[in-house]
Amino acid sequence: SLGYKNFILKDINGFIWIGSPVGLNRFDGNTFKVYYPGKSESGDIIGSYCLSMIEDSLHHIWIGTNKGLVHYNTMADTFHSIATPVTAYEELTTIIPFWSSRDYVYCIESARHITNYNLLTKQRSVIATLPSRHTWKNQVIMAYSVFDSASNSVWMLSDENQQTGNGLVQVSLTDKTIRDFSW
């Protein structure tokens, strides 16, 4: 859909998914199928700017966009959009799915909240909020965050202090503490 791309994912069926600033592309090895917001015969995709994708344990794909989360059911070949709640103090409505467990997909919403969605019910829970001191300049790096079940923490790349070379941020989901680690 556009020569510039953001994210790429190969699913269990061998399809290559490519997110771009104007839509979602699926490559089957020979041809591309392009899904545009509001123009899909298999459900609407909310938001045009695809930021990240992850395949869950049920082999469905979750796509983060500039306006919300999109769930693609691989068995039914349908999309279901889930709008990101907008609050008065947040101007961003982006959502970045970054990890999936057996039961949940983990996301970063509006560069501020760590949330999870139940794979079966699509129920959303806010599990941590990043403090305002973390002003994320490059939200795309959040797609490379990981959930560590042993420590019940989310580990994120940081772009907080450009002068010292960035580092890692550990967000504990147990006690909500945040630790910074410089390179």
Side-chain angles (χ1 to χ4, degrees):
S1 59
L2 187 65
Y4 178 81
K5 63 264 176 221
N6 283 340
F7 209 83
I8 187 167
L9 170 86
K10 182 178 179 184
D11 72 16
I12 193 165
N13 298 314
F15 291 119
I16 303 289
W17 294 85
I18 304 163
S20 82
V22 296
L24 181 63
N25 309 271
R26 185 179 76 185
F27 184 64
D28 65 8
N30 293 310
T31 58
F32 281 96
K33 183 170 185 178
V34 182
Y35 301 94
Y36 294 104
K39 298 178 183 175
S40 173
E41 62 277 358
S42 58
D44 284 341
I45 298 173
I46 190 169
S48 59
Y49 206 109
C50 295
L51 298 167
S52 71
M53 291 176 273
I54 193 152
E55 187 172 9
D56 67 24
S57 63
L58 302 172
H59 304 297
H60 297 168
I61 298 172
W62 297 76
I63 303 117
T65 75
N66 61 320
K67 300 221 174 156
L69 188 62
V70 178
H71 173 259
Y72 175 70
N73 184 321
T74 55
M75 302 300 265
D77 189 30
T78 58
F79 292 95
H80 173 73
S81 293
I82 305 166
T84 303
V86 178
T87 60
Y89 62 90
E90 294 168 339
E91 58 190 52
L92 299 169
T93 57
T94 58
I95 185 164
I96 298 171
F98 66 89
W99 197 263
S100 181
S101 68
R102 188 178 144 212
D103 301 313
Y104 296 97
V105 64
Y106 292 84
C107 302
I108 299 172
E109 295 183 15
S110 303
R112 186 131 166 91
H113 304 289
I114 298 174
T115 59
N116 67 15
Y117 287 79
N118 183 289
L119 298 184
L120 298 176
T121 66
K122 315 295 184 286
Q123 191 70 16
R124 173 185 180 265
S125 297
V126 176
I127 51 179
T129 299
L130 297 171
S132 58
R133 67 183 168 86
H134 283 278
T135 53
W136 301 93
K137 298 170 188 75
N138 181 2
Q139 294 172 49
V140 176
I141 67 169
M142 291 179 164
Y144 303 107
S145 301
V146 295
F147 171 71
D148 175 39
S149 60
S151 65
N152 197 32
S153 297
V154 173
W155 289 87
M156 309 168 72
L157 291 170
S158 171
D159 66 350
E160 180 66 20
N161 190 346
Q162 302 267 345
Q163 291 79 14
T164 59
N166 307 335
L168 286 171
V169 175
Q170 178 189 18
V171 181
S172 169
L173 302 181
T174 304
D175 62 11
K176 311 298 186 222
T177 58
I178 297 175
R179 296 177 60 198
D180 294 293
F181 298 89
S182 296
W183 296 134

